[in-house]
Amino acid sequence: KDLVDFALNALGLGQVIDTIQALGADYWNQIKQIATQLLFAGQNIWEQAKLVFQQLVSDLQNHATDALPLVVQAIGQLTSLVGQSGKRDLVDFALNALGLGQVIDTIQALGADYWNQIKQIATQLLFAGQNIWEQAKLVFQQLVSDLQNHATDALPLVVQAIGQLTSLVGQSGKRDLVDFALNALGLGQVIDTIQALGADYWNQIKQIATQLLFAGQNIWEQAKLVFQQLVSDLQNHATDALPLVVQAIGQLTSLVGQSGKRDLVDFALNALGLGQVIDTIQALGADYWNQIKQIATQLLFAGQNIWEQAKLVFQQLVSDLQNHATDALPLVVQAIGQLTSLVGQSGKRDLVDFALNALGLGQVIDTIQALGADYWNQIKQIATQLLFAGQNIWEQAKLVFQQLVSDLQNHATDALPLVVQAIGQLTSLVGQSGKRDLVDFALNALGLGQVIDTIQALGADYWNQIKQIATQLLFAGQNIWEQAKLVFQQLVSDLQNHATDALPLVVQAIGQLTSLVGQSGKRDLVDFALNALGWVKLLTPSKLWELTTGTKLNKLPLNCCSLVKTSGNKPNLSSNNWSPICKTTPLMLCH
């Protein structure tokens, strides 16, 4: 929201804000002030401060009950660093730029109230535009001159100056980063026109404008062109403001998305130029939107030729939707048909295909598949695991696969012992990496490595739920992922400090995480695979259960589904109403 938040996030404090705030406003305000000051303290001081903050975060996560001395110690170190920089914050920057340095003592002697008003006005002026700034400088110059010549009459002089400056700041109507961004982008002339369209559009414009401040020079320059065009269009066609603003928001959202891409889906959609028509497609319903997202992600692994053909299809779709939005449904259906055909030509649908292709196995797939599903599944599993095993293991595995390909091409009739030998070598390599698959990748990324033994000790049921949730979160979007990380961080901290009370802590976390995963609308790799193969609509719930869990289910316990619905997807795992089968019933079987 502002420079304070930007500084705190940049310094990695997001994970321990609650811990520090719990110590009281005084310590929290000192941390915020120091964080903001560091933005202007130079690269050298900033890097040193980051190390202090990293240590503080680590210490607070491991010793939250000892937070006070840790925070006090860090404040001492950081205050010393900020003092070295000679720059304290935006207030000092503004006061110096306005030439007040020579009379600070005189104004402070009048009391905190007057001094605080001067500081506030000085900071506001930084975002008030060049015209207001120049007028304010004249007022401050006169104040400095008067105070130097008539220090004993300081009070009426300062009061008079505050009155003049407050009037100037009021004219500017700009007090923060949002206003600064809007002004820098040239929107000042059409603010009233956009605001008249309603708070929703105005808030989107403000959010985009602020995001652009941190999006890099290239994105900023492109956005300025979009805003210039919007200003021109609104001045010439104010009565048609709504479609002009909506069009600009679409273009700008796409630009902002390029600057900070959250996942493969966002990356694919932005790279294919869909940012401008997302709302139009989403309005057709989740089914069409999900198909578009799935196709866009698949295209990332379909090869350059297919990608270029798909871009042409998407460009045509964007153009058609912009010109014929009311006919969106047949246009999207037609595009999905063309794109599905293209993806089918590519023969690549998911991470497994990507891994196999990257490892050079394409030439011998038929030979391995002919040995039976067991060997083929082992090869696919190993190939996917290697994606997360690190560069060193990957390179060693490539050599094994290259040898296997060469051997199979020269001795296809002896394929079985060759494949068995390769599987043995690769299994050993994957074991060395300490990462076996997406589950391990997710667990590590969420910071659970330190408490795995504690959770496993509670039994397979709880451990399997945690693994399933962790994997689902990989596909749940950045927002859900970040919220889940906070839950896991709290769980890790609680388990480290209260390992003997692990069960209620884990049950509580599972409830919170299940709710988060439910919000995301994305469940897991099983769903991804089933959707990619088009099987979901063809399977009975009991067959889907069998594929998901590996166990047969003769009849779906419908009472479990009613419990799921009435409990708001948060089952009370300690309730006698919940049988073991209900505790692990996938929610998708209840929809």
Side-chain angles (χ1 to χ4, degrees):
K1 295 186 291 294
D2 59 12
L3 271 184
V4 175
D5 285 334
F6 175 74
L8 293 173
N9 286 327
L11 291 163
L13 276 183
Q15 309 163 62
V16 294
I17 284 178
D18 291 342
T19 307
I20 302 173
Q21 286 178 328
L23 300 177
D26 184 48
Y27 297 105
W28 176 234
N29 287 338
Q30 287 183 71
I31 289 289
K32 287 194 297 182
Q33 183 181 13
I34 289 168
T36 313
Q37 292 166 348
L38 286 166
L39 287 173
F40 306 95
Q43 188 67 21
N44 183 34
I45 302 293
W46 176 268
E47 293 302 326
Q48 293 179 64
K50 278 182 74 174
L51 296 177
V52 176
F53 276 115
Q54 285 167 7
Q55 186 62 48
L56 176 62
V57 170
S58 172
D59 290 344
L60 289 178
Q61 288 175 324
N62 295 319
H63 310 285
T65 54
D66 299 324
L68 182 57
L70 295 172
V71 171
V72 169
Q73 179 186 30
I75 288 174
Q77 294 170 298
L78 293 162
T79 301
S80 174
L81 279 176
V82 169
Q84 292 171 32
S85 74
K87 298 175 185 169
R88 285 193 305 278
D89 59 11
L90 267 184
V91 174
D92 286 335
F93 175 77
L95 294 172
N96 286 328
L98 292 163
L100 278 182
Q102 309 160 66
V103 293
I104 285 177
D105 291 343
T106 306
I107 302 173
Q108 286 178 330
L110 299 177
D113 185 49
Y114 297 106
W115 177 234
N116 287 338
Q117 288 183 71
I118 289 289
K119 288 194 296 181
Q120 183 180 14
I121 290 168
T123 312
Q124 291 168 348
L125 287 167
L126 286 174
F127 307 100
Q130 191 65 24
N131 183 33
I132 302 292
W133 176 267
E134 293 302 327
Q135 294 178 64
K137 279 183 73 173
L138 296 177
V139 175
F140 276 115
Q141 285 168 7
Q142 186 62 49
L143 175 62
V144 169
S145 172
D146 290 344
L147 288 177
Q148 288 175 325
N149 295 319
H150 311 283
T152 54
D153 300 323
L155 183 56
L157 296 172
V158 170
V159 169
Q160 179 187 31
I162 288 174
Q164 295 171 298
L165 293 163
T166 300
S167 174
L168 278 176
V169 169
Q171 291 171 32
S172 75
K174 303 187 182 79
R175 282 190 302 272
D176 58 14
L177 269 184
V178 175
D179 289 322
F180 174 75
L182 293 172
N183 195 50
L185 291 163
L187 277 183
Q189 310 160 67
V190 294
I191 284 176
D192 290 343
T193 307
I194 301 173
Q195 286 178 329
L197 299 176
D200 185 49
Y201 297 106
W202 177 235
N203 287 338
Q204 288 183 71
I205 289 289
K206 288 195 295 182
Q207 183 180 15
I208 289 168
T210 312
Q211 290 167 345
L212 286 166
L213 287 174
F214 307 99
Q217 189 65 23
N218 184 33
I219 302 292
W220 176 268
E221 293 302 325
Q222 293 177 64
K224 280 183 73 173
L225 297 177
V226 175
F227 276 115
Q228 286 167 7
Q229 186 63 48
L230 176 62
V231 169
S232 172
D233 290 343
L234 288 177
Q235 289 175 324
N236 295 320
H237 310 285
T239 54
D240 300 323
L242 183 56
L244 295 172
V245 170
V246 169
Q247 180 185 29
I249 286 173
Q251 294 170 300
L252 294 161
T253 300
S254 176
L255 279 176
V256 169
Q258 291 172 29
S259 74
K261 305 180 181 79
R262 290 188 304 277
D263 57 16
L264 273 183
V265 175
D266 285 336
F267 175 77
L269 294 173
N270 284 325
L272 292 164
L274 277 183
Q276 308 162 61
V277 294
I278 284 177
D279 290 343
T280 307
I281 302 173
Q282 286 178 328
L284 300 177
D287 185 49
Y288 297 106
W289 177 235
N290 287 338
Q291 288 182 71
I292 290 288
K293 288 194 295 182
Q294 182 183 356
I295 289 168
T297 311
Q298 291 167 349
L299 286 167
L300 289 173
F301 307 100
Q304 190 64 23
N305 183 33
I306 302 292
W307 176 267
E308 293 302 326
Q309 294 178 63
K311 279 183 74 173
L312 296 176
V313 176
F314 276 115
Q315 285 168 6
Q316 186 62 48
L317 175 62
V318 169
S319 172
D320 290 344
L321 288 177
Q322 289 175 324
N323 295 319
H324 310 287
T326 54
D327 300 323
L329 183 57
L331 296 172
V332 171
V333 169
Q334 179 186 29
I336 287 173
Q338 294 171 297
L339 294 162
T340 300
S341 174
L342 278 176
V343 169
Q345 291 171 32
S346 76
K348 300 188 184 84
R349 283 191 301 273
D350 60 12
L351 274 180
V352 175
D353 287 327
F354 175 74
L356 294 172
N357 195 50
L359 291 163
L361 278 182
Q363 309 161 66
V364 294
I365 285 177
D366 290 343
T367 306
I368 302 173
Q369 285 178 330
L371 299 177
D374 185 50
Y375 297 104
W376 177 234
N377 287 338
Q378 288 183 70
I379 290 288
K380 288 194 296 181
Q381 184 181 15
I382 289 168
T384 313
Q385 291 167 348
L386 287 167
L387 287 173
F388 306 96
Q391 189 66 24
N392 184 33
I393 302 293
W394 176 268
E395 293 302 326
Q396 293 178 64
K398 280 182 73 173
L399 297 177
V400 176
F401 276 115
Q402 285 168 7
Q403 187 61 49
L404 175 62
V405 169
S406 173
D407 290 344
L408 289 177
Q409 288 175 325
N410 295 320
H411 310 284
T413 54
D414 300 322
L416 183 56
L418 295 172
V419 170
V420 169
Q421 179 186 28
I423 287 173
Q425 294 171 296
L426 294 162
T427 301
S428 174
L429 278 177
V430 169
Q432 290 172 34
S433 74
K435 297 175 187 169
R436 287 190 306 279
D437 57 13
L438 272 181
V439 175
D440 286 329
F441 175 75
L443 294 172
N444 285 329
L446 291 163
L448 277 183
Q450 309 161 66
V451 294
I452 284 177
D453 291 343
T454 307
I455 302 173
Q456 286 178 330
L458 300 176
D461 184 47
Y462 298 106
W463 177 234
N464 288 337
Q465 288 182 71
I466 289 289
K467 288 194 296 181
Q468 183 182 14
I469 290 167
T471 313
Q472 291 167 348
L473 288 166
L474 287 173
F475 305 94
Q478 188 67 20
N479 184 33
I480 302 292
W481 176 268
E482 292 302 326
Q483 293 179 64
K485 278 183 74 174
L486 296 177
V487 176
F488 276 115
Q489 285 166 8
Q490 186 61 49
L491 176 62
V492 169
S493 173
D494 290 343
L495 289 177
Q496 288 175 325
N497 295 319
H498 311 285
T500 54
D501 300 323
L503 182 56
L505 296 172
V506 170
V507 168
Q508 179 186 30
I510 287 174
Q512 295 171 297
L513 294 162
T514 301
S515 174
L516 280 176
V517 169
Q519 291 170 33
S520 75
K522 298 173 187 170
R523 287 186 298 273
D524 59 11
L525 269 183
V526 173
D527 287 334
F528 174 76
L530 293 174
N531 284 324
L533 294 168
W535 285 356
V536 165
K537 296 176 182 176
L538 305 178
L539 291 174
T540 63
S542 58
K543 186 62 178 174
L544 194 54
W545 167 272
E546 184 179 338
L547 285 170
T548 307
T549 65
T551 59
K552 289 187 179 295
L553 179 65
N554 294 324
K555 184 178 179 182
L556 179 67
L558 295 178
N559 62 311
C560 293
C561 295
S562 63
L563 283 169
V564 168
K565 292 173 183 175
T566 57
S567 65
N569 292 345
K570 291 183 184 177
N572 177 5
L573 297 177
S574 62
S575 169
N576 292 329
N577 293 329
W578 283 88
S579 65
I581 195 73
C582 289
K583 294 180 187 178
T584 55
T585 299
L587 295 183
M588 61 183 174
L589 298 183
C590 296
H591 295 313

